[in-house]
Amino acid sequence: MTIQRESVTNTSKLRLTGVTFPSRPERRETERARARVSWKIQPQRSHEGALLHREDCGLYKGSVGFISREDAAIALDEPDIEPCQICMPENGVPPA
């Protein structure tokens, strides 16, 4: 990798040579692959238990606090956490 600095009318630009960056479709596919192996817990509400979702589940748009496969397996063993009936996160989680 080589970094070169170019000066063009009072603005500096960095040019990287020999470096390839993933295309937009490749980045999207990487994000989708990560979403298939990440889970999130929707907090408990007063009248409902907490729900475990896959990261890409559309029912709960929480964007922080993702947990690993192992943590998801532990969460499913908790009595007050239920799996989402739409994304069915238990299908991708090994038994704890």
Side-chain angles (χ1 to χ4, degrees):
M1 172 174 71
T2 307
I3 300 176
Q4 300 173 343
R5 184 173 292 277
E6 293 181 352
S7 192
V8 181
T9 61
N10 293 338
T11 35
S12 272
K13 293 183 180 180
L14 290 178
R15 178 185 297 184
L16 297 176
T17 56
V19 177
T20 58
F21 295 98
S23 66
R24 184 172 285 157
E26 289 171 331
R27 286 192 310 264
R28 280 193 211 126
E29 182 54 37
T30 300
E31 290 170 7
R32 280 190 219 114
R34 181 181 56 85
R36 288 189 289 269
V37 295
S38 295
W39 288 262
K40 55 190 173 184
I41 296 177
Q42 182 177 0
Q44 185 173 10
R45 297 187 180 190
S46 61
H47 62 284
E48 300 173 344
L51 288 177
L52 179 69
H53 298 274
R54 290 181 179 272
E55 180 185 337
D56 58 352
C57 182
L59 289 183
Y60 179 58
K61 296 290 186 185
S63 60
V64 295
F66 300 114
I67 60 174
S68 69
R69 177 177 291 176
E70 293 79 21
D71 291 336
I74 293 168
L76 284 173
D77 284 341
E78 294 294 319
D80 57 340
I81 298 178
E82 296 292 325
C84 172
Q85 297 301 307
I86 302 300
C87 67
M88 297 184 289
E90 67 274 15
N91 291 342
V93 177

